[in-house]
Amino acid sequence: MSEPTCSASYHVLKSDPELNEPPALLAEDESEADDDEGTNKSPLWKALINLMGDLEGTGTLALPYAISQSGLIAISGLIIIPFIAFYTGAILIDCLYDQNDAGERVRVRSNYKQLGEACSSRYSGTIVSAIQLIHLFLVASLYLVLCASLATGIFPDLPLSDKFWMFIAAAVVLPTLFLKDFSQVAWLSLINVIGFYIAVVTVLSYGITHHLSWNPIIISVLDIESAPVSLAVISYSYICHSTLPGLEASMENKSQYRPMLGLAFFFAAIIKVIFSVFAFLSFSPNIQEVISNSLPMGVIRTLVNTSLILSVVFSYPFLVISIIQIIEDSVSEDCFSLKIPRIVWFVGIRVATNFLTLLPAILIPHFALFMAFISSLTGSATMFILPALFHLILKKKDLKLYHYIFDILILIFGVYVGVVGLLYTGKSLFKTIFHDN
């Protein structure tokens, strides 16, 4: 088993020049530092709000369309997939821990990279970390694209391009990246959740006023042909696993991680099922891929788009600070010939990460489709495939037969969702590029 590496924030930024202490002593010093900074740790409710802000994202807006494609299969997926996501989120964090000689549970790993190294080799850790970072970077970039698209919908008469709106969005969110930890980010996540729920309630309220036109019979009983795409859309709306190691590490009481995870997925599942079914009944048969586009132009649509911009803007800091923590945990002292001053690293990595999320959004044509294509691989890997693999390899001595069966079934399902997503989004991307040419 490879020893956990210290983060770059320790190696590069620590002012004490004596960095040659034994690993055990360093670990003890860092533990004491954590105790001293206990006020920066997140209580249960802050961790819950951060995770709900990640789960209750704009992917929820595509779920009514998923129901329109495969009916009861999609509704079943909305109920079953969060249980799978909860399980993989629980075993992922469990793999960060081992038992010591006294039988105590000790956190011996910090991130996906160290999990990959413990399972195979150093290069496996690098590959796993790259998958995690690519997924988070693309999602953060997509948030800037969504901001631009929503802003264009609110101000269609302004002579501003989508790229200009992306620059504005990146500039607006930059100051929020100077928060130091998830405990502070939780307040922004709370605004994110409130903004999202305003949009959801507005859409539902508009739909309920048209309840006389509801016809539950139109929910198809079985549509095998469209089911794979619907399951891929539903799975994407529950992807949060790349952020879970950092979120768990930020908690005051890590024994509350599983209850927090369960509450987050429970609330997310309830909201997604109610919203998806009601919105589908309200806007069928002319339902759009993003449900807000089914609203008529006017005050209601403007309110929804404004609330969604609020939600997207305040979702961005949680993702980017997760990225920064992963980079710091992955960068070693040997990568730098000179120590970087604390303030230079703190400011520089935030500005650089903000720029690197803006760059693909501006440069890559049809970015939303491109992101969907890549995340079919990275999303299914971080949510299904890697947690199940880590569990099978690192906990093999402790697993019961049903664990093996369940983990293998999740592996198969993850590969299936990834391949289907790649084929479907790849086909759409190819058609779009070919049409433009």
Side-chain angles (χ1 to χ4, degrees), residues 23-85:
L25 184 56
L26 289 178
E28 183 180 347
D29 288 345
E30 288 177 350
S31 177
E32 291 175 358
D34 285 344
D35 292 339
D36 294 338
E37 297 174 0
T39 55
N40 294 328
K41 293 293 184 179
S42 301
L44 175 65
W45 75 268
K46 285 188 175 182
L48 179 62
I49 286 295
N50 276 327
L51 185 53
M52 287 183 63
D54 198 18
L55 284 172
E56 300 284 21
T58 52
T60 303
L61 301 177
L63 297 180
Y65 181 77
I67 293 179
S68 73
Q69 296 299 296
S70 53
L72 292 180
I73 295 178
I75 295 175
S76 300
L78 284 169
I79 297 171
I80 295 171
I81 288 176
F83 282 100
I84 300 174

Side-chain angles (χ1 to χ4, degrees), residues 392-409:
L392 286 170
I393 295 172
L394 297 177
K395 299 296 180 180
K396 58 185 177 183
K397 295 181 180 179
D398 303 321
L399 299 185
K400 307 294 184 184
L401 178 60
Y402 65 86
H403 285 133
Y404 280 103
I405 294 173
F406 201 30
D407 288 349
I408 291 171
L409 289 175

Side-chain angles (χ1 to χ4, degrees), residues 48-347:
L48 179 62
I49 286 295
N50 276 327
L51 185 53
M52 287 183 63
D54 198 18
L55 284 172
E56 300 284 21
T58 52
T60 303
L61 301 177
L63 297 180
Y65 181 77
I67 293 179
S68 73
Q69 296 299 296
S70 53
L72 292 180
I73 295 178
I75 295 175
S76 300
L78 284 169
I79 297 171
I80 295 171
I81 288 176
F83 282 100
I84 300 174
F86 166 77
Y87 174 78
T88 55
I91 63 174
L92 174 66
I93 299 305
D94 191 44
C95 290
L96 300 177
Y97 288 82
D98 279 343
Q99 283 191 344
N100 60 17
D101 294 337
E104 299 171 326
R105 194 165 177 260
V106 180
R107 200 176 200 264
V108 296
R109 305 175 190 94
S110 299
N111 48 46
Y112 273 81
K113 181 179 181 181
Q114 292 174 5
L115 286 168
E117 291 171 347
C119 288
S120 181
S121 65
R122 178 181 179 182
Y123 297 107
S124 298
T126 301
I127 292 170
V128 166
S129 184
I131 291 172
Q132 181 190 20
L133 282 172
I134 288 170
H135 179 74
L136 287 174
F137 264 108
L138 288 178
V139 174
S141 297
L142 181 63
Y143 281 3
L144 299 180
V145 174
L146 287 172
C147 280
S149 177
L150 292 167
T152 301
I154 296 174
F155 305 106
D157 297 328
L158 289 181
L160 300 177
S161 67
D162 282 354
K163 291 183 179 180
F164 188 82
W165 281 117
M166 291 176 204
F167 273 109
I168 293 176
V172 168
V173 297
L174 179 59
T176 67
L177 304 185
F178 291 92
L179 298 176
K180 295 181 179 180
D181 51 62
F182 286 140
S183 179
Q184 295 174 342
V185 173
W187 295 105
L188 302 185
S189 295
L190 182 60
I191 300 174
N192 158 26
V193 171
I194 291 172
F196 178 76
Y197 282 160
I198 289 174
V200 166
V201 170
T202 303
V203 172
L204 288 180
S205 299
Y206 177 85
I208 290 172
T209 60
H210 298 76
H211 70 279
L212 294 178
S213 63
W214 288 7
N215 182 14
I217 297 176
I218 64 176
I219 299 179
S220 58
V221 177
L222 191 65
D223 189 347
I224 299 296
E225 185 177 348
S226 301
V229 175
S230 295
L231 291 177
V233 170
I234 294 167
S235 297
Y236 175 79
S237 74
Y238 283 103
I239 296 175
C240 62
H241 295 61
S242 290
T243 64
L244 291 182
L247 185 63
E248 190 262 356
S250 75
M251 295 183 67
E252 282 179 353
N253 185 352
K254 293 179 176 56
S255 66
Q256 294 179 334
Y257 169 76
R258 284 204 180 192
M260 181 277 298
L261 189 70
L263 285 171
F265 276 105
F266 174 77
F267 287 129
I270 293 295
I271 293 298
K272 289 177 193 290
V273 170
I274 293 174
F275 173 76
S276 303
V277 173
F278 280 25
F280 167 74
L281 292 173
S282 301
F283 296 100
S284 289
N286 299 316
I287 194 166
Q288 302 296 314
E289 291 188 13
V290 177
I291 195 63
S292 59
N293 292 336
S294 298
L295 292 167
M297 297 297 295
V299 175
I300 293 179
R301 190 163 179 173
T302 299
L303 174 61
V304 170
N305 282 357
T306 303
S307 301
L308 290 175
I309 288 178
L310 191 68
S311 176
V312 170
V313 165
F314 289 103
S315 295
Y316 182 88
F318 177 70
L319 281 178
V320 173
I321 291 177
S322 295
I323 292 171
I324 291 168
Q325 287 189 354
I326 293 167
I327 293 173
E328 288 185 338
D329 286 342
S330 301
V331 175
S332 67
E333 178 187 9
D334 297 335
C335 297
F336 301 92
S337 58
L338 298 173
K339 277 190 294 185
I340 300 175
R342 180 185 297 271
I343 188 64
V344 173
W345 175 269
F346 183 83
V347 174

